Amino acid sequence: MAGIDIPRETWATRTGFILAAVGSAVGLGNIWRFPFQVGQEGGAAFLLIYLLFIALIGFPAMLVEFVVGRHTERNPVGALKAIAGGAWSYVGWIFIATGFVILSYYSVVAGWTIRYTILGLQDGYLADAGEAEGQFVELASGLDAIFFHALFMAVVIVIVAFGIQRGIELAVKVMVPAIIVITVGMAIYAFTLEGASEAYSYYLSPEWGVIAAEWQSIFPAAAGQAFFTLSLGMGVMITYASYLGEDRNLAEDGAIVIGFDTAIAFITGLIVFPILFTAGVDPADPGAGAIFVSLAAAFGDLALGWIIGAIFFGTVAIAALSSAISLMEVVVSYVVDERNVDRKVAAFGIGIALFLLGLPSAYDLVLLDLFDLFADQILLVLGGLLLMILVSWSLSELAVDELSRGIGDLGSLGPAWIWAVRIPVVVVLIVALVLGILDYYEFLTGPFAEWVGGQ
Ligand code: PHE
């Protein structure tokens, strides 16, 4: 088999693995996507459902990816070949494709965060919402966007090229603690703002009426967000767990990763909403640009907003980086394991391809949506769904055995876990997939068709 003669790298320490998984999980999803989802989906009501999904869906699903990775010690394609073979190998391909597409535009959005960090240092945030919007449109597409997309991609390439211990593990040991310390610090700052109490009640006291009235949109949004934020459905956790050298308690590791991810998302809400309320910006402003437009406008309004904003966007950039390296590692591990390509060559070649694939997203926001919706609502859910079906229905014994390595006899928790995947996780993913496809169809025939007509 290709690559069998080269000893495969492993994490140097348990903390290294956990930090890498936390670094992957904590990203744009927590800091950019989460607050605007809360804003769009009705505040605290969404938060509550989201937390429920994290525990009931996210946790069991993460353990599935962990056991597949540790059991096979392979990249997603190799892993599926090893445990199932035949047509199931294509599921591994879906993972690679998903990681590839997501990273192409993730890097563009990450580029914006670098640009907005610099904008703060230039004291360039505009308090007027209309002007802030115009500024965003200018910076988010075109040459500016392409330049920062390239810069971000270059950093990702360098880290991944250095490998697991000297590249990824070293980088996350610096980045993840920094993210935690800065977010907590910013939440304390936000607490002192005058809009804080109004923001807390919006964020933290659910109106039950909202859940009853809008559950059809709250539920899929919360489920999708839970999967995305935990980096599930694209083989990241399979890949990271494949570098585990020793037996240890994967359930505990998973709980720690989820705890940190959820805490950071939650704390981000404690930062973002007080800032928005204090500056009088509406938190329900929809759209992908929301955080950039509305927060930048708020920073333009606040005393010392320029430096606070630079720290905020700088942290987002770091969080995006620690996620991007995990996506890149999925693709690189495949090429290294299965094709026997040198890691540095693989990282560089794939990085260039990703840069090119990201160009349409950097050219026009509609194209970014085209990629984002497809990867996020269809590919990611589809890959996740197929893996969950495979493992819970036909490989349950192997899965329970593997999970018990490092824990001991699971007793009735083993079947409980398998059944949690068999029905709740699978059903939620099927519903999410159907809704995702419908939504994508609407996008293709609506905004996208309009855009094409206008070209
Ligand atoms: N979990 C990351 C976030 O919250 C996004 C991500 C998804 C990263 C998939 C890697 C893989 O931003």
Side-chain angles (χ1 to χ4, degrees), residues 24-25 27-30 106 228-229 231 234 236 323 326-327:
S24 172
L28 296 174
N30 301 60
Y106 201 84
F228 185 84
T229 189
S231 300
M234 66 211 74
V236 166
S323 298
S326 73
L327 282 173

Side-chain angles (χ1 to χ4, degrees), residues 175-239:
M175 290 194 283
V176 173
I179 296 168
I180 295 172
V181 171
I182 300 173
T183 28
V184 171
M186 290 204 64
I188 296 171
Y189 155 80
F191 173 74
T192 66
L193 294 173
E194 98 197 64
S197 62
E198 197 189 342
Y200 293 155
S201 73
Y202 164 80
Y203 184 42
L204 301 175
S205 39
E207 288 173 35
W208 303 110
V210 175
I211 301 186
E214 294 175 32
W215 63 271
Q216 305 97 316
S217 84
I218 294 182
F219 274 62
Q225 175 65 13
F227 243 64
F228 185 84
T229 189
L230 296 177
S231 300
L232 297 172
M234 66 211 74
V236 166
M237 294 303 171
I238 296 181
T239 309

Side-chain angles (χ1 to χ4, degrees), residues 264-287:
I264 298 281
F266 180 73
I267 295 173
T268 304
L270 296 179
I271 300 171
V272 169
F273 294 116
I275 290 177
L276 293 181
F277 274 86
T278 303
V281 177
D282 182 4
D285 253 352

